Amino acid sequence: MRLLRIYTTLILLALASGSVAAQSDMERRFLDEMDNLVASGDKYYDAGYTLQSEWFYGQAIVGIRSFQYALDRIAYTLVKQREAAQDKAHSDALRAYVDEGPETVEDNDEASEILGFDVNSMLKSLNSFSKAMLDVSDKMEEKADVLEKKLEDLGIDVDGEATAMSDRWRSISSLSIVSPYPFFFEGIVQDMCGDKNKARTAYACAAGNPYIMRGLLDFTFLSSLSLQDVQSLWWRLENRATEYLNRVSVSSNPFPRDWRNWNSAYLVCKGAEILESEESVSNALPYFDAAVLANPFDVGLFISAAAAHMMMGDAKGAAYYINEGLLLDSDNADLMDMAKDIM
């Protein structure tokens, strides 16, 4: 736990300080890290190990997509800020016009005679009404802001935005259950939105993952980017993701998002716990499947998954894990015995 706290602190410090020069350096380091993951995946793919190659490919794709979605949220924030500034400028101009506008017109007697009513009296009434309506509008906006804050404090998603964000992070994570980057970039987004508690939680989840980049992660430059800068960076990442996807394949897995999913031991223990407490094996099965995805280099996990599928009477699923496990260890006695049992 002490090391976890120290590493979390390093991330937080990195996001609290930085320079403009950090952008090109951090961007380069990040993309180099993703390139290295793809290169490692290529070695396993060329050797005929599909699951193992996807373990690397998935992390690279998820890293890029997580960064891109963070940029999407930053761009959204910048657009909203610009719209809010425009609305305020319009509101200020309107109030200035009402406050300083003419309450009388020259030749009022002649105008009143032509129109058949007192023009100056009408102007005064309209100005008073406009001021009153502006005051009411301001008070309604203040009360709406207070109400929205109270609803958020109660955990109520007022406009569905929080739910949409959660769904998007979950969708990205489904391409690699071991990747730390959805949590890391979610932390950055929450940080920039001012929710420090959620940001710290997300950073801690990322810091507890051994597959995160080493060293200080200085993404401070994101807070100073213009909308055009954000869009340019997004497209640079998109070009890299397209380059990857043109030659690699990554499967999606709907397993529930959890910061502990990188740990195959946790997943196996969770599956075993469910087996002990429930009559149905089906609820435990996804954990044994996920354990293989978390660490497809451990033949013991293929044995556990195959056994779980055999308990379910799923010979096809068991055969899949037996065959994949034998690719790693062709002489494994347990797997060969299982193969005989399902024949």
Side-chain angles (χ1 to χ4, degrees), residues 326-341:
L326 287 172
L327 282 176
L328 289 178
D329 183 2
S330 59
D331 297 323
N332 189 279
D334 291 324
L335 289 172
M336 288 192 286
D337 287 343
M338 286 181 173
K340 294 176 184 177
D341 290 340

Side-chain angles (χ1 to χ4, degrees), residues 95-236:
R95 181 172 287 280
Y97 176 80
V98 170
D99 289 342
E100 301 172 9
E103 294 190 354
T104 61
V105 294
E106 296 180 0
D107 301 324
N108 55 354
D109 292 337
E110 183 178 350
S112 298
E113 184 177 345
I114 294 173
L115 295 172
F117 56 82
D118 189 342
V119 174
N120 286 332
S121 177
M122 180 195 69
L123 283 173
K124 289 178 181 179
S125 298
L126 285 174
N127 275 346
S128 297
F129 178 75
S130 298
K131 290 176 183 178
M133 290 304 296
L134 285 172
D135 290 339
V136 169
S137 176
D138 290 343
K139 289 177 181 178
M140 288 181 67
E141 286 184 6
E142 290 174 5
K143 289 183 177 181
D145 291 340
V146 171
L147 177 60
E148 184 173 341
K149 180 65 171 62
K150 288 182 177 179
L151 291 173
E152 287 177 356
D153 292 341
L154 291 172
I156 299 173
D157 189 6
V158 181
D159 54 8
E161 188 176 331
T163 300
M165 286 177 61
S166 178
D167 289 345
R168 182 61 178 142
W169 287 123
R170 189 180 301 111
S171 174
I172 293 172
S173 299
S174 70
L175 298 175
S176 171
I177 67 172
V178 302
S179 175
Y181 296 107
F183 282 112
F184 178 73
F185 284 105
E186 182 181 4
I188 289 179
V189 171
Q190 297 290 3
D191 210 348
M192 295 185 69
C193 290
D195 197 328
K196 302 301 181 183
N197 289 332
K198 287 184 179 179
R200 275 192 283 272
T201 298
Y203 289 147
C205 289
N209 189 316
Y211 303 122
I212 196 166
M213 291 172 61
R214 300 295 100 182
L216 291 178
L217 305 184
D218 186 0
F219 283 85
T220 328
F221 65 88
L222 293 175
S223 62
S224 60
L225 295 183
S226 67
L227 182 58
Q228 183 176 354
D229 293 333
V230 170
Q231 292 170 334
S232 296
L233 176 53
W234 190 95
W235 279 108
R236 289 198 296 274

Side-chain angles (χ1 to χ4, degrees), residues 18-27 218 221:
S19 65
V20 176
Q23 176 179 355
S24 58
D25 179 62
M26 194 64 245
E27 184 182 337
D218 186 0
F221 65 88

